[in-house]
Amino acid sequence: MSDYEFITIWNIDAPLERVWSAIEDADAWPGWWKGVVNVVELQAGDKDGVGSIRRTVWKSALPYKLEFDSEVLRVERLKLIEARAFGVTRLTRVMAFDASNCHSPAFE
């Protein structure tokens, strides 16, 4: 099987702290993230969320939903969140935050 890398960059006109809070609060994603149908915490993590495991159901324009579990592996506050997904898919996701333009932090 070939490796696949998918990169998206979001430029958000909001303070970094506000963007971080929205991404960090995965349980609230279905309320604002169009592609997220449901999030359920299966295991709590430490105070930064490391070790937490959540089951997430995603949807897209395709006629099916994708459900998998993710474990938070590393958190560097206001800089990055790294997680691994497992189940029907296996991947590592790194969400990096850059506030070089304090009004438009980039989220990958």
Side-chain angles (χ1 to χ4, degrees), residues 59-85:
K59 69 175 181 172
S60 69
L62 299 174
Y64 59 86
K65 294 177 183 169
L66 182 62
E67 177 179 299
F68 55 87
D69 298 343
S70 295
E71 177 184 14
V72 176
L73 302 174
R74 178 171 55 133
V75 174
E76 294 179 22
R77 182 155 171 69
L78 300 177
K79 294 184 179 173
L80 72 84
I81 301 171
E82 180 179 2
R84 73 175 180 96

PDB file of all heavy atoms in Angstrom, residues 59-85:
ATOM      1  N   LYS A  59     -18.515  12.650   8.116  1.00  0.00           N
ATOM      2  CA  LYS A  59     -19.261  12.527   6.866  1.00  0.00           C
ATOM      3  C   LYS A  59     -18.653  13.490   5.854  1.00  0.00           C
ATOM      4  O   LYS A  59     -17.933  14.429   6.202  1.00  0.00           O
ATOM      5  CB  LYS A  59     -20.731  12.846   7.073  1.00  0.00           C
ATOM      6  CG  LYS A  59     -20.973  14.328   7.382  1.00  0.00           C
ATOM      7  CD  LYS A  59     -22.427  14.663   7.472  1.00  0.00           C
ATOM      8  CE  LYS A  59     -22.560  16.160   7.765  1.00  0.00           C
ATOM      9  NZ  LYS A  59     -23.889  16.655   7.696  1.00  0.00           N
ATOM     10  N   SER A  60     -18.925  13.217   4.587  1.00  0.00           N
ATOM     11  CA  SER A  60     -18.452  14.101   3.518  1.00  0.00           C
ATOM     12  C   SER A  60     -19.489  14.066   2.409  1.00  0.00           C
ATOM     13  O   SER A  60     -20.603  13.583   2.597  1.00  0.00           O
ATOM     14  CB  SER A  60     -17.084  13.629   3.010  1.00  0.00           C
ATOM     15  OG  SER A  60     -17.219  12.400   2.312  1.00  0.00           O
ATOM     16  N   ALA A  61     -19.098  14.498   1.228  1.00  0.00           N
ATOM     17  CA  ALA A  61     -20.002  14.467   0.083  1.00  0.00           C
ATOM     18  C   ALA A  61     -20.241  13.028  -0.383  1.00  0.00           C
ATOM     19  O   ALA A  61     -21.213  12.762  -1.088  1.00  0.00           O
ATOM     20  CB  ALA A  61     -19.431  15.296  -1.051  1.00  0.00           C
ATOM     21  N   LEU A  62     -19.376  12.112   0.005  1.00  0.00           N
ATOM     22  CA  LEU A  62     -19.550  10.711  -0.363  1.00  0.00           C
ATOM     23  C   LEU A  62     -20.729  10.111   0.409  1.00  0.00           C
ATOM     24  O   LEU A  62     -21.038  10.558   1.514  1.00  0.00           O
ATOM     25  CB  LEU A  62     -18.267   9.932  -0.077  1.00  0.00           C
ATOM     26  CG  LEU A  62     -17.033  10.428  -0.852  1.00  0.00           C
ATOM     27  CD1 LEU A  62     -15.789   9.691  -0.384  1.00  0.00           C
ATOM     28  CD2 LEU A  62     -17.240  10.250  -2.345  1.00  0.00           C
ATOM     29  N   PRO A  63     -21.372   9.080  -0.128  1.00  0.00           N
ATOM     30  CA  PRO A  63     -22.599   8.565   0.494  1.00  0.00           C
ATOM     31  C   PRO A  63     -22.378   7.582   1.651  1.00  0.00           C
ATOM     32  O   PRO A  63     -23.078   6.594   1.773  1.00  0.00           O
ATOM     33  CB  PRO A  63     -23.296   7.866  -0.685  1.00  0.00           C
ATOM     34  CG  PRO A  63     -22.170   7.393  -1.534  1.00  0.00           C
ATOM     35  CD  PRO A  63     -21.109   8.468  -1.417  1.00  0.00           C
ATOM     36  N   TYR A  64     -21.393   7.826   2.477  1.00  0.00           N
ATOM     37  CA  TYR A  64     -21.177   6.978   3.639  1.00  0.00           C
ATOM     38  C   TYR A  64     -20.516   7.793   4.740  1.00  0.00           C
ATOM     39  O   TYR A  64     -19.990   8.875   4.507  1.00  0.00           O
ATOM     40  CB  TYR A  64     -20.320   5.748   3.304  1.00  0.00           C
ATOM     41  CG  TYR A  64     -18.946   6.076   2.764  1.00  0.00           C
ATOM     42  CD1 TYR A  64     -17.880   6.305   3.627  1.00  0.00           C
ATOM     43  CD2 TYR A  64     -18.717   6.157   1.400  1.00  0.00           C
ATOM     44  CE1 TYR A  64     -16.628   6.608   3.151  1.00  0.00           C
ATOM     45  CE2 TYR A  64     -17.450   6.461   0.909  1.00  0.00           C
ATOM     46  CZ  TYR A  64     -16.415   6.676   1.783  1.00  0.00           C
ATOM     47  OH  TYR A  64     -15.164   6.990   1.304  1.00  0.00           O
ATOM     48  N   LYS A  65     -20.538   7.237   5.948  1.00  0.00           N
ATOM     49  CA  LYS A  65     -19.879   7.867   7.087  1.00  0.00           C
ATOM     50  C   LYS A  65     -18.663   7.039   7.461  1.00  0.00           C
ATOM     51  O   LYS A  65     -18.613   5.842   7.203  1.00  0.00           O
ATOM     52  CB  LYS A  65     -20.843   7.968   8.268  1.00  0.00           C
ATOM     53  CG  LYS A  65     -21.997   8.905   7.990  1.00  0.00           C
ATOM     54  CD  LYS A  65     -22.983   8.942   9.123  1.00  0.00           C
ATOM     55  CE  LYS A  65     -24.149   9.845   8.751  1.00  0.00           C
ATOM     56  NZ  LYS A  65     -25.246   9.718   9.682  1.00  0.00           N
ATOM     57  N   LEU A  66     -17.688   7.666   8.078  1.00  0.00           N
ATOM     58  CA  LEU A  66     -16.462   7.001   8.507  1.00  0.00           C
ATOM     59  C   LEU A  66     -16.343   7.164  10.023  1.00  0.00           C
ATOM     60  O   LEU A  66     -16.413   8.290  10.529  1.00  0.00           O
ATOM     61  CB  LEU A  66     -15.264   7.633   7.805  1.00  0.00           C
ATOM     62  CG  LEU A  66     -13.895   7.042   8.073  1.00  0.00           C
ATOM     63  CD1 LEU A  66     -13.841   5.585   7.619  1.00  0.00           C
ATOM     64  CD2 LEU A  66     -12.829   7.856   7.347  1.00  0.00           C
ATOM     65  N   GLU A  67     -16.173   6.053  10.728  1.00  0.00           N
ATOM     66  CA  GLU A  67     -16.062   6.076  12.183  1.00  0.00           C
ATOM     67  C   GLU A  67     -14.736   5.445  12.581  1.00  0.00           C
ATOM     68  O   GLU A  67     -14.393   4.367  12.104  1.00  0.00           O
ATOM     69  CB  GLU A  67     -17.211   5.276  12.795  1.00  0.00           C
ATOM     70  CG  GLU A  67     -17.156   5.176  14.303  1.00  0.00           C
ATOM     71  CD  GLU A  67     -18.323   4.386  14.861  1.00  0.00           C
ATOM     72  OE1 GLU A  67     -19.477   4.801  14.656  1.00  0.00           O
ATOM     73  OE2 GLU A  67     -18.074   3.339  15.481  1.00  0.00           O
ATOM     74  N   PHE A  68     -13.987   6.155  13.424  1.00  0.00           N
ATOM     75  CA  PHE A  68     -12.739   5.589  13.933  1.00  0.00           C
ATOM     76  C   PHE A  68     -12.396   6.229  15.265  1.00  0.00           C
ATOM     77  O   PHE A  68     -12.966   7.246  15.654  1.00  0.00           O
ATOM     78  CB  PHE A  68     -11.585   5.756  12.930  1.00  0.00           C
ATOM     79  CG  PHE A  68     -11.333   7.170  12.483  1.00  0.00           C
ATOM     80  CD1 PHE A  68     -10.494   8.005  13.215  1.00  0.00           C
ATOM     81  CD2 PHE A  68     -11.920   7.665  11.340  1.00  0.00           C
ATOM     82  CE1 PHE A  68     -10.252   9.302  12.812  1.00  0.00           C
ATOM     83  CE2 PHE A  68     -11.678   8.971  10.925  1.00  0.00           C
ATOM     84  CZ  PHE A  68     -10.845   9.785  11.662  1.00  0.00           C
ATOM     85  N   ASP A  69     -11.447   5.606  15.961  1.00  0.00           N
ATOM     86  CA  ASP A  69     -10.993   6.095  17.257  1.00  0.00           C
ATOM     87  C   ASP A  69      -9.684   6.855  17.085  1.00  0.00           C
ATOM     88  O   ASP A  69      -8.890   6.531  16.200  1.00  0.00           O
ATOM     89  CB  ASP A  69     -10.785   4.930  18.227  1.00  0.00           C
ATOM     90  CG  ASP A  69     -12.070   4.175  18.506  1.00  0.00           C
ATOM     91  OD1 ASP A  69     -13.160   4.720  18.232  1.00  0.00           O
ATOM     92  OD2 ASP A  69     -11.982   3.044  18.999  1.00  0.00           O
ATOM     93  N   SER A  70      -9.461   7.842  17.921  1.00  0.00           N
ATOM     94  CA  SER A  70      -8.222   8.624  17.910  1.00  0.00           C
ATOM     95  C   SER A  70      -7.711   8.769  19.337  1.00  0.00           C
ATOM     96  O   SER A  70      -8.491   9.004  20.261  1.00  0.00           O
ATOM     97  CB  SER A  70      -8.450  10.029  17.338  1.00  0.00           C
ATOM     98  OG  SER A  70      -8.822   9.966  15.990  1.00  0.00           O
ATOM     99  N   GLU A  71      -6.403   8.665  19.477  1.00  0.00           N
ATOM    100  CA  GLU A  71      -5.744   8.865  20.771  1.00  0.00           C
ATOM    101  C   GLU A  71      -4.811  10.058  20.667  1.00  0.00           C
ATOM    102  O   GLU A  71      -3.998  10.136  19.742  1.00  0.00           O
ATOM    103  CB  GLU A  71      -4.935   7.636  21.162  1.00  0.00           C
ATOM    104  CG  GLU A  71      -4.180   7.823  22.465  1.00  0.00           C
ATOM    105  CD  GLU A  71      -3.286   6.640  22.815  1.00  0.00           C
ATOM    106  OE1 GLU A  71      -3.043   5.786  21.950  1.00  0.00           O
ATOM    107  OE2 GLU A  71      -2.821   6.601  23.970  1.00  0.00           O
ATOM    108  N   VAL A  72      -4.912  10.988  21.599  1.00  0.00           N
ATOM    109  CA  VAL A  72      -4.014  12.138  21.628  1.00  0.00           C
ATOM    110  C   VAL A  72      -2.656  11.666  22.147  1.00  0.00           C
ATOM    111  O   VAL A  72      -2.556  11.099  23.236  1.00  0.00           O
ATOM    112  CB  VAL A  72      -4.571  13.278  22.509  1.00  0.00           C
ATOM    113  CG1 VAL A  72      -3.566  14.418  22.609  1.00  0.00           C
ATOM    114  CG2 VAL A  72      -5.897  13.771  21.952  1.00  0.00           C
ATOM    115  N   LEU A  73      -1.615  11.904  21.349  1.00  0.00           N
ATOM    116  CA  LEU A  73      -0.264  11.463  21.689  1.00  0.00           C
ATOM    117  C   LEU A  73       0.591  12.565  22.292  1.00  0.00           C
ATOM    118  O   LEU A  73       1.431  12.311  23.151  1.00  0.00           O
ATOM    119  CB  LEU A  73       0.454  10.940  20.437  1.00  0.00           C
ATOM    120  CG  LEU A  73      -0.212   9.790  19.702  1.00  0.00           C
ATOM    121  CD1 LEU A  73       0.543   9.480  18.420  1.00  0.00           C
ATOM    122  CD2 LEU A  73      -0.299   8.569  20.603  1.00  0.00           C
ATOM    123  N   ARG A  74       0.391  13.800  21.814  1.00  0.00           N
ATOM    124  CA  ARG A  74       1.262  14.902  22.256  1.00  0.00           C
ATOM    125  C   ARG A  74       0.508  16.212  22.132  1.00  0.00           C
ATOM    126  O   ARG A  74      -0.230  16.426  21.183  1.00  0.00           O
ATOM    127  CB  ARG A  74       2.505  14.929  21.360  1.00  0.00           C
ATOM    128  CG  ARG A  74       3.472  16.032  21.667  1.00  0.00           C
ATOM    129  CD  ARG A  74       4.780  15.867  20.891  1.00  0.00           C
ATOM    130  NE  ARG A  74       4.583  15.759  19.458  1.00  0.00           N
ATOM    131  CZ  ARG A  74       5.279  16.444  18.559  1.00  0.00           C
ATOM    132  NH1 ARG A  74       6.224  17.273  18.926  1.00  0.00           N
ATOM    133  NH2 ARG A  74       5.046  16.290  17.272  1.00  0.00           N
ATOM    134  N   VAL A  75       0.714  17.074  23.103  1.00  0.00           N
ATOM    135  CA  VAL A  75       0.119  18.412  23.092  1.00  0.00           C
ATOM    136  C   VAL A  75       1.190  19.415  23.489  1.00  0.00           C
ATOM    137  O   VAL A  75       1.851  19.248  24.510  1.00  0.00           O
ATOM    138  CB  VAL A  75      -1.079  18.511  24.075  1.00  0.00           C
ATOM    139  CG1 VAL A  75      -1.592  19.945  24.157  1.00  0.00           C
ATOM    140  CG2 VAL A  75      -2.190  17.558  23.675  1.00  0.00           C
ATOM    141  N   GLU A  76       1.379  20.412  22.672  1.00  0.00           N
ATOM    142  CA  GLU A  76       2.216  21.573  23.007  1.00  0.00           C
ATOM    143  C   GLU A  76       1.284  22.773  22.937  1.00  0.00           C
ATOM    144  O   GLU A  76       0.940  23.231  21.852  1.00  0.00           O
ATOM    145  CB  GLU A  76       3.387  21.713  22.039  1.00  0.00           C
ATOM    146  CG  GLU A  76       4.384  20.572  22.128  1.00  0.00           C
ATOM    147  CD  GLU A  76       5.531  20.693  21.140  1.00  0.00           C
ATOM    148  OE1 GLU A  76       5.810  21.825  20.675  1.00  0.00           O
ATOM    149  OE2 GLU A  76       6.124  19.654  20.819  1.00  0.00           O
ATOM    150  N   ARG A  77       0.848  23.220  24.099  1.00  0.00           N
ATOM    151  CA  ARG A  77      -0.188  24.253  24.191  1.00  0.00           C
ATOM    152  C   ARG A  77       0.055  25.419  23.236  1.00  0.00           C
ATOM    153  O   ARG A  77       1.145  25.964  23.177  1.00  0.00           O
ATOM    154  CB  ARG A  77      -0.288  24.758  25.636  1.00  0.00           C
ATOM    155  CG  ARG A  77      -1.370  25.791  25.798  1.00  0.00           C
ATOM    156  CD  ARG A  77      -1.900  25.868  27.200  1.00  0.00           C
ATOM    157  NE  ARG A  77      -2.774  27.004  27.352  1.00  0.00           N
ATOM    158  CZ  ARG A  77      -3.978  27.110  26.790  1.00  0.00           C
ATOM    159  NH1 ARG A  77      -4.447  26.154  26.050  1.00  0.00           N
ATOM    160  NH2 ARG A  77      -4.729  28.189  26.972  1.00  0.00           N
ATOM    161  N   LEU A  78      -0.982  25.746  22.485  1.00  0.00           N
ATOM    162  CA  LEU A  78      -1.008  26.825  21.491  1.00  0.00           C
ATOM    163  C   LEU A  78      -0.061  26.572  20.305  1.00  0.00           C
ATOM    164  O   LEU A  78       0.133  27.453  19.489  1.00  0.00           O
ATOM    165  CB  LEU A  78      -0.701  28.189  22.128  1.00  0.00           C
ATOM    166  CG  LEU A  78      -1.650  28.635  23.223  1.00  0.00           C
ATOM    167  CD1 LEU A  78      -1.198  29.959  23.823  1.00  0.00           C
ATOM    168  CD2 LEU A  78      -3.083  28.760  22.702  1.00  0.00           C
ATOM    169  N   LYS A  79       0.508  25.355  20.209  1.00  0.00           N
ATOM    170  CA  LYS A  79       1.413  25.044  19.100  1.00  0.00           C
ATOM    171  C   LYS A  79       0.978  23.838  18.296  1.00  0.00           C
ATOM    172  O   LYS A  79       0.952  23.887  17.073  1.00  0.00           O
ATOM    173  CB  LYS A  79       2.833  24.846  19.603  1.00  0.00           C
ATOM    174  CG  LYS A  79       3.431  26.107  20.169  1.00  0.00           C
ATOM    175  CD  LYS A  79       4.857  25.920  20.567  1.00  0.00           C
ATOM    176  CE  LYS A  79       5.368  27.247  21.107  1.00  0.00           C
ATOM    177  NZ  LYS A  79       6.683  27.158  21.668  1.00  0.00           N
ATOM    178  N   LEU A  80       0.691  22.698  18.970  1.00  0.00           N
ATOM    179  CA  LEU A  80       0.294  21.516  18.204  1.00  0.00           C
ATOM    180  C   LEU A  80      -0.425  20.490  19.045  1.00  0.00           C
ATOM    181  O   LEU A  80      -0.286  20.452  20.264  1.00  0.00           O
ATOM    182  CB  LEU A  80       1.490  20.870  17.498  1.00  0.00           C
ATOM    183  CG  LEU A  80       2.539  20.125  18.307  1.00  0.00           C
ATOM    184  CD1 LEU A  80       2.118  18.695  18.583  1.00  0.00           C
ATOM    185  CD2 LEU A  80       3.831  20.080  17.519  1.00  0.00           C
ATOM    186  N   ILE A  81      -1.215  19.681  18.339  1.00  0.00           N
ATOM    187  CA  ILE A  81      -1.867  18.509  18.907  1.00  0.00           C
ATOM    188  C   ILE A  81      -1.589  17.365  17.937  1.00  0.00           C
ATOM    189  O   ILE A  81      -1.884  17.473  16.751  1.00  0.00           O
ATOM    190  CB  ILE A  81      -3.392  18.697  19.066  1.00  0.00           C
ATOM    191  CG1 ILE A  81      -3.699  19.889  19.972  1.00  0.00           C
ATOM    192  CG2 ILE A  81      -4.039  17.411  19.588  1.00  0.00           C
ATOM    193  CD1 ILE A  81      -5.165  20.285  20.008  1.00  0.00           C
ATOM    194  N   GLU A  82      -1.003  16.282  18.451  1.00  0.00           N
ATOM    195  CA  GLU A  82      -0.726  15.115  17.621  1.00  0.00           C
ATOM    196  C   GLU A  82      -1.584  13.960  18.113  1.00  0.00           C
ATOM    197  O   GLU A  82      -1.684  13.709  19.310  1.00  0.00           O
ATOM    198  CB  GLU A  82       0.747  14.734  17.709  1.00  0.00           C
ATOM    199  CG  GLU A  82       1.104  13.518  16.875  1.00  0.00           C
ATOM    200  CD  GLU A  82       2.577  13.160  16.935  1.00  0.00           C
ATOM    201  OE1 GLU A  82       3.346  13.829  17.658  1.00  0.00           O
ATOM    202  OE2 GLU A  82       2.955  12.184  16.263  1.00  0.00           O
ATOM    203  N   ALA A  83      -2.213  13.273  17.164  1.00  0.00           N
ATOM    204  CA  ALA A  83      -3.076  12.145  17.506  1.00  0.00           C
ATOM    205  C   ALA A  83      -2.880  11.030  16.492  1.00  0.00           C
ATOM    206  O   ALA A  83      -2.494  11.268  15.362  1.00  0.00           O
ATOM    207  CB  ALA A  83      -4.537  12.588  17.526  1.00  0.00           C
ATOM    208  N   ARG A  84      -3.172   9.803  16.934  1.00  0.00           N
ATOM    209  CA  ARG A  84      -3.158   8.674  16.008  1.00  0.00           C
ATOM    210  C   ARG A  84      -4.569   8.128  15.925  1.00  0.00           C
ATOM    211  O   ARG A  84      -5.296   8.080  16.924  1.00  0.00           O
ATOM    212  CB  ARG A  84      -2.188   7.589  16.471  1.00  0.00           C
ATOM    213  CG  ARG A  84      -2.661   6.790  17.654  1.00  0.00           C
ATOM    214  CD  ARG A  84      -1.709   5.638  18.009  1.00  0.00           C
ATOM    215  NE  ARG A  84      -2.220   4.912  19.157  1.00  0.00           N
ATOM    216  CZ  ARG A  84      -2.952   3.808  19.075  1.00  0.00           C
ATOM    217  NH1 ARG A  84      -3.230   3.268  17.910  1.00  0.00           N
ATOM    218  NH2 ARG A  84      -3.400   3.221  20.171  1.00  0.00           N
ATOM    219  N   ALA A  85      -4.971   7.776  14.721  1.00  0.00           N
ATOM    220  CA  ALA A  85      -6.284   7.182  14.512  1.00  0.00           C
ATOM    221  C   ALA A  85      -6.104   5.698  14.269  1.00  0.00           C
ATOM    222  O   ALA A  85      -5.101   5.257  13.698  1.00  0.00           O
ATOM    223  CB  ALA A  85      -6.966   7.833  13.319  1.00  0.00           C
TER     224      ALA A  85
END
